[in-house]
Each structure stands twice: as C-alpha cells, then as structure tokens.
Amino acid sequence: NFDFANNPWSVFNTVCAGYRDMLVSMLLKVVAPLALLMLILITHFSTKLLEAMKLLSAAWNPDITVNVYFSLLFTFFAGVAAMSLEIFKCTNNPNDISTLSSDQSVICGSSDWR
C-alpha cells in the first residue's frame, strides 16, 4: 500500500494518538512542514556548532540546508497539494447527507466543516 506517497502523514496515526477531531488532525498536518523545517534548521546549526568545536570537518552551508528542505517538500508535493484540497472533498451518503471524504463524522456545510 503506497498511501504514504499521497499522504506522508499517514504513517502517523493521529486517531491512535487521541486526536480524533478533524480540526486537530488538519492542524497537525499543516504544522508538519514547519516541524520539518525546524528539524532541518536544528541540524544545520548543530553542524555549525560541531565544526566550531572541531568535531566535524565541514558544516552544512545554507545552500545545502535550503536544498534539503525543498527537496523533501518537492518529494511530497503531491501529498501536500492533496491534503490542502482535502477539506473540499465531500461524498454523498445513502441518507442524502454529504460528509467529508477523509472524516465521515463531519457533515459538509456544517459548523465543523467551516
């Protein structure tokens, strides 16, 4: 199953972690690229520190840092784009109520959906 290619956050089960709410789940998905940026920046500055302490021969230069971040973002671009449009994907149910495709508990047009 290659669901992680379309949704890289599917490897982390937010429902299992207690985040069943659709709003919290969406916020975690939005914050994930920022968390990735923070991790890459920490790595960048850690290599600078290790180089200053003479424990590492060469640190990452800013070009490498930017390249790593945007390469990872580009790799998962399809998933990020699909996730950004996920809030608009509604499916019809047999009871003539449209619900969100990714979370069947959210009725399209309701206050939770807006």
Side-chain angles (χ1 to χ4, degrees), residues 50-114:
L50 289 173
E51 182 186 41
M53 295 171 51
K54 306 287 187 217
L55 297 174
L56 191 65
S57 61
W60 279 9
N61 63 29
D63 293 336
I64 292 174
T65 305
V66 170
N67 188 20
V68 168
Y69 178 68
F70 285 110
S71 294
L72 286 172
L73 218 55
F74 182 68
T75 300
F76 294 108
F77 176 76
V80 171
M83 190 271 305
S84 66
L85 296 173
E86 187 175 301
I87 192 78
F88 302 110
K89 294 180 186 172
C90 295
T91 57
N92 291 327
N93 291 316
N95 60 359
D96 292 329
I97 295 177
S98 294
T99 57
L100 199 61
S101 297
S102 60
D103 188 355
Q104 297 288 319
S105 67
V106 177
I107 298 171
C108 293
S110 69
S111 60
D112 285 343
W113 182 72
R114 293 181 185 163

Side-chain angles (χ1 to χ4, degrees), residues 8-81:
W9 298 274
S10 67
V11 296
F12 304 108
N13 192 345
T14 55
V15 174
C16 228
Y19 300 110
R20 182 171 291 274
D21 187 25
M22 189 250 337
L23 180 62
V24 174
S25 178
M26 291 296 280
L27 286 175
L28 287 174
K29 290 177 182 179
V30 167
V31 171
L34 297 174
L36 177 66
L37 176 62
M38 292 302 298
L39 181 67
I40 290 172
L41 287 175
I42 288 169
T43 304
H44 172 78
F45 289 115
S46 297
T47 61
K48 294 281 188 191
L49 180 66
L50 289 173
E51 182 186 41
M53 295 171 51
K54 306 287 187 217
L55 297 174
L56 191 65
S57 61
W60 279 9
N61 63 29
D63 293 336
I64 292 174
T65 305
V66 170
N67 188 20
V68 168
Y69 178 68
F70 285 110
S71 294
L72 286 172
L73 218 55
F74 182 68
T75 300
F76 294 108
F77 176 76
V80 171

